[in-house]
Amino acid sequence: MNWITKITQQYHRHPKRWLLTLAFLIPIILMGGLFIGMKVFPFGDNTLLTVDLGQQYLDFYQYYRHFILSGFEGGFYSFSKSIGGEMLGTWAYYLMSPFMLVTLLFPGSWLSVAIAVMILLKLGTAAWSFQWMLGKIYDDYNCRSLTFSLMYAFIGYLSANQLNIMWLDGVIFLPLVIWGIDEIFTHQRWWIYTLSLALVLWTNYYIGYMVCLFSILFFIYRFVVSIPKSLAKIKKQAFNVLQPVGHFIIGSLLAGGLAAILLVPTFQSLLASKGAHETASLDWSLAYPFQELLSKWVIGSFNFNQMPDGLPNLFVGSLGIVMLLTFLMNRRFHWSERFTALSIISVLLVSMNTNALNTIWHGWQDPIWYPYRFSFVWSFFVLYIGYRQYRQLSLPKLRQNVMVLLLGTIATLYLLMHVDQFDEINALKICISFGLFTIVLLLTLLISEYPRSIVWLLLALTLGEGFANSALNVTSLGYLDYEDVVDPIIATQPTINTLRPNDQEFYRITKDYQRTKNDGLHMGYYDLNQFNSTLEKGTTELFKSLGFPSSEVFTNYTTGTLFTDDFFGVRYMLVQDQLLPNPINGKLISTRYDWLSQPITQSNDSEIVTENEDALGLGFSVNEDFAKLKTEDIYPIYLQDQMLQALDNKAEMSSENSQTQYFSLENFQSLDLENVATDDPNHVAATYSREKDNERSLITVTFTPDTDDAYYLTVPQYLNDDDVTFFLNGQELAYDDTFRSTQIYNLANNDVGQTKTFQIEILADAVTLQDFNLYRLDKKRVANVATQLKDHSLQLDHFSNSRFSGKITTTHSNDYLLLTFPYSKGWHFKVDGNPVTAKPHFSGGLTLLPLSKPGTHEVTAYYRPPGLILGGLITISSIVIIGGHSYYYRKHQKSWR
């Protein structure tokens, strides 16, 4: 037992060190053990990658590693972000956490392990941070403070959102911000608050914004606690009473100033991405009945169905709820403090139910999935208030506990009576939670008689409850297998490495399969796909207009044509053939027979690589006809045809938008219906309904190409995989079903005389086929246009993600250099040494550079994030102000206030 004695002695000598260490290690050990039990790699074949963590963040983390380890290329701008896009907004939202450095310690194939380590470190640091705050505010380093610190690491928000790993830093640093606010009142020092808030804003501006709003609420609470309780004293000490207000305002402004070098450019980025979309209107209706929130205090009250539109994650454990309720009844605390605390809790609960307030908390944008992302501030405040009660708990009143038990009983009965309304909880979970709640109440009644034993029992009980809740939440989700994550990358990366352009050329590469839409960013090549919350609106609108799958946050180049391949400079295509000996473990998302007519440059057991010899480069000369084209409300086929007409020097523009010269409308040979009724038997464009529910309902059309040209089918934008399934020649068609405009599917190429059968299986009760047409694209004419444009394309002397230079030759006055990346004020151009202002085209999806005179022109360009200089000046000024303030007070031997 000597070692126990030694540890006890060490603990009494250094309680602060031991408590902080325990707070940090216990969550890591428990959750680490859970991950091992879940057989997370390298202890099995599972990962913690699910939903956006596997589809999006993982690729950003690989980009982060590549940026740090490979020369800091592509930090401000990247052509791997769809057709090009700024990256500072991506950094500010996803990649600024100091925990990201962990990814540098692992090889790329072990990135899923690095993510698991980051999650564990963040959970441990959250508990450490809460303990640090309690120690600094109350000088408490004991079992009671450890109990609440550990509970903070196991709040429901963290287990439900561990997949949104970039949000966890706000949870970690929030206790430091609150400690800083407390310092304003206790020691008149605002610098701790300033630095802590700046750190939150720096690591994630989005969660930082929510912390700023909560800081205002908490400051009000702390102000009420600190002011004298008589009007006479308030008048007498008016300056001292109001001084914290000034310190809070100054500290808040300087915190924003310290982070301005990141925040100002990020704000500019948001104006071109999320902020460019229509701002959510304020809807003052309620999202759900308030009483349904009771379900979120039950253990394991989270599952996959809660992610899209569930309830706020409010679990804080039985002890936290009991202490909150008894605090509100405890007259030892002044009524003004209890009233203010109750008001703030109510404001937060109302904000999580009133749609308008919820929108405001989310930066005036309705969240897509993962609702109520600010609910962690409610959990924090409940634990903060609960600890104020718990640290003074010595002689609990029976009446208070009886009232709390009555409330708990009513809540439990309600949940049991309505358990069928909740798919995330059941009667067993409800009864276990009520049992734990009752045990906590009974133990608090005995705390005066057995203080040490009860405190340790409550620690064990609270820790067990919190861990059980986290384990139930985490294991309720499905996760990617390790092989599903790494195999597609390992199989594709060697081929990609041989195809990358050198620094004197530019072209794009794409695939008919993908692990995620961010494969280009992950593997370091110029693709056209991206899934990113900071994606430029101009890019997404351009993809929509051209008939490619897109939304506000993603683009997917899966329905291109031979023309768009040339236009966007798609030179190499990686095609997966399932007949090959070792097909890649990736999702087929495109059917492009027109790619297979291109020369094959590489092939292996998994894929073939075709080369588009007509691919254009980064930019080329266009005339005024092209500059006048508009994308609004134009059928994608018509828009592509108009673009070809404007680019073809030998063609004349059609006077009508619907007149096509390169795409010709073709007829179907037959239309057959199986278990389907139609309202117009003479036309394909009609409404079709199922006749018998228990049989397959099929619409079958056939056609036989009479040329070797490429044939494309257009389908209406409102069809999705819930309504229909597409088949070509008996095989299910590979396509991306997340689209919002008419789509274009390639059905034939070099197939003269071969009959093609296209089938639509109806899954809904009825579907309407509008814009359901077959087109033939004249390949020779498209190739001729590409040849013309190549003679007047930008010949690069140097190219990088944020800087390029080259020469272009034009033959007409008032021509333009069309650059196939989205317009941004961050790009600065010179033509023949003179600054030239670019202008947006196609709603900002492309960039036009005026070239007033014919001849050969030298073009140079570089990218600087808009707002970077202004933000840098604000940050430098803030540092100077803080440094000057520190120097002045140190020189005068005063405390820094």
Side-chain angles (χ1 to χ4, degrees), residues 545-547 563 629-646 653-654 656-665 714 742 744 771 773 775 842:
S545 299
L546 290 172
F563 163 63
L629 289 179
K630 305 293 183 183
T631 60
E632 290 80 4
D633 300 322
I634 298 181
Y635 190 53
I637 287 289
Y638 296 162
L639 176 60
Q640 292 191 30
D641 202 277
Q642 286 185 24
M643 294 168 67
L644 278 164
Q645 293 175 39
M653 293 289 293
S654 300
E656 299 292 335
N657 289 343
S658 60
Q659 288 184 314
T660 58
Q661 299 183 23
Y662 302 83
F663 290 90
S664 59
L665 185 62
T714 60
T742 299
I744 305 171
D771 299 330
N773 299 306
Y775 290 91
F842 283 4

Side-chain angles (χ1 to χ4, degrees), residues 405-677:
L405 180 60
L406 179 62
L407 292 174
T409 303
I410 294 173
T412 300
L413 291 175
Y414 167 80
L415 291 175
L416 289 173
M417 292 171 62
H418 299 85
V419 67
D420 293 339
Q421 298 178 11
F422 307 98
D423 69 338
E424 70 274 15
I425 60 174
N426 53 43
L428 178 61
K429 289 182 179 180
I430 296 171
C431 292
I432 291 175
S433 297
F434 180 67
L436 293 171
F437 182 83
T438 305
I439 293 172
V440 167
L441 273 173
L442 293 175
L443 289 176
T444 57
L445 285 174
L446 301 174
I447 201 167
S448 60
E449 297 184 26
Y450 312 100
R452 175 171 294 188
S453 300
I454 296 300
V455 166
W456 279 101
L457 280 174
L458 286 173
L459 169 61
L461 186 66
T462 300
L463 182 59
E465 182 186 21
F467 174 67
N469 177 71
S470 294
L472 289 171
N473 290 348
V474 170
T475 57
S476 70
L477 303 179
Y479 298 93
L480 295 175
D481 291 338
Y482 177 75
E483 292 180 353
D484 292 336
V485 176
V486 300
D487 284 359
I489 305 300
I490 293 174
T492 306
Q493 189 73 68
T495 303
I496 292 294
N497 293 341
T498 67
L499 299 177
R500 289 196 191 96
N502 59 43
D503 61 2
Q504 291 183 315
E505 57 184 350
F506 175 86
Y507 51 79
R508 295 183 170 99
I509 304 168
T510 194
K511 307 186 271 90
D512 70 347
Y513 65 93
Q514 59 188 206
R515 195 194 75 79
T516 74
K517 297 178 179 68
N518 295 326
D519 282 353
L521 203 63
H522 190 118
M523 289 185 274
Y525 65 93
Y526 304 140
D527 200 352
L528 299 93
N529 310 326
Q530 184 76 175
F531 176 23
N532 192 322
S533 294
T534 66
L535 197 57
E536 284 79 357
K537 181 184 179 182
T539 301
T540 61
E541 291 300 307
L542 176 64
F543 270 56
K544 175 184 177 182
S545 299
L546 290 172
F548 308 150
S550 67
S551 75
E552 294 181 3
V553 296
F554 79 81
T555 59
N556 212 11
Y557 186 75
T558 62
T559 55
T561 64
L562 290 174
F563 163 63
T564 59
D565 292 343
D566 297 346
F567 183 86
F568 286 110
V570 181
R571 183 169 176 180
Y572 293 106
M573 303 87 163
L574 279 66
V575 181
Q576 182 174 180
D577 190 337
Q578 295 299 317
L579 298 178
L580 292 172
N582 187 27
I584 293 173
N585 184 18
K587 179 184 178 182
L588 281 173
I589 42 80
S590 181
T591 301
R592 292 290 305 274
Y593 293 98
D594 48 8
W595 283 357
L596 297 176
S597 66
Q598 308 284 10
I600 296 176
T601 62
Q602 293 185 40
S603 64
N604 53 46
D605 289 346
S606 302
E607 61 195 353
I608 60 176
V609 180
T610 65
E611 181 178 6
N612 176 19
E613 297 175 341
D614 292 329
L616 302 171
L618 184 64
F620 41 86
S621 174
V622 298
N623 55 31
E624 288 191 73
D625 287 339
F626 191 92
K628 293 177 182 177
L629 289 179
K630 305 293 183 183
T631 60
E632 290 80 4
D633 300 322
I634 298 181
Y635 190 53
I637 287 289
Y638 296 162
L639 176 60
Q640 292 191 30
D641 202 277
Q642 286 185 24
M643 294 168 67
L644 278 164
Q645 293 175 39
L647 293 171
D648 191 348
N649 293 328
K650 299 177 182 179
E652 293 185 6
M653 293 289 293
S654 300
S655 58
E656 299 292 335
N657 289 343
S658 60
Q659 288 184 314
T660 58
Q661 299 183 23
Y662 302 83
F663 290 90
S664 59
L665 185 62
E666 301 289 316
N667 294 320
F668 295 109
Q669 286 178 308
S670 64
L671 169 66
D672 295 317
L673 304 180
E674 180 181 340
N675 190 38
V676 174

Side-chain angles (χ1 to χ4, degrees), residues 104-252:
L104 304 179
L105 305 178
F106 295 86
S109 60
W110 278 49
L111 198 51
S112 64
V113 180
I115 289 173
V117 172
M118 274 200 293
I119 292 172
L120 293 176
L121 290 176
K122 289 191 176 190
L123 294 176
T125 309
W128 180 94
S129 178
F130 201 89
Q131 174 59 66
W132 177 273
M133 177 196 70
L134 295 180
K136 289 296 183 179
I137 294 178
Y138 302 113
D139 198 28
D140 285 355
Y141 299 96
N142 51 45
C143 186
R144 296 194 186 200
S145 65
L146 180 62
T147 301
F148 272 71
S149 300
L150 293 174
M151 191 62 246
Y152 188 61
F154 291 107
I155 59 175
Y157 181 93
L158 288 178
S159 56
N161 285 290
Q162 73 170 29
L163 62 107
N164 292 305
I165 193 169
M166 67 282 185
W167 296 347
L168 307 189
D169 292 68
V171 182
I172 292 170
F173 299 124
L174 176 58
L176 303 184
V177 173
I178 299 308
W179 167 44
I181 293 177
D182 190 81
E183 285 289 294
I184 292 176
F185 289 94
T186 56
H187 298 100
Q188 294 76 51
R189 295 187 298 194
W190 47 260
W191 64 270
I192 295 175
Y193 166 67
T194 296
L195 296 180
S196 300
L197 185 59
L199 183 60
V200 175
L201 292 170
W202 185 267
T203 55
N204 188 282
Y205 68 87
Y206 183 64
I207 299 298
Y209 162 79
M210 300 173 187
V211 170
C212 287
L213 294 183
F214 176 69
S215 296
I216 297 173
L217 295 176
F218 186 86
F219 179 84
I220 294 172
Y221 162 79
R222 192 62 180 80
F223 181 81
V224 170
V225 172
S226 68
I227 60 175
K229 305 310 176 187
S230 68
L231 185 60
K233 288 184 178 180
I234 292 176
K235 291 180 178 180
K236 186 177 181 179
Q237 303 174 24
F239 176 79
N240 292 334
V241 169
L242 295 177
Q243 188 183 46
V245 177
H247 286 171
F248 179 74
I249 294 173
I250 292 172
S252 300

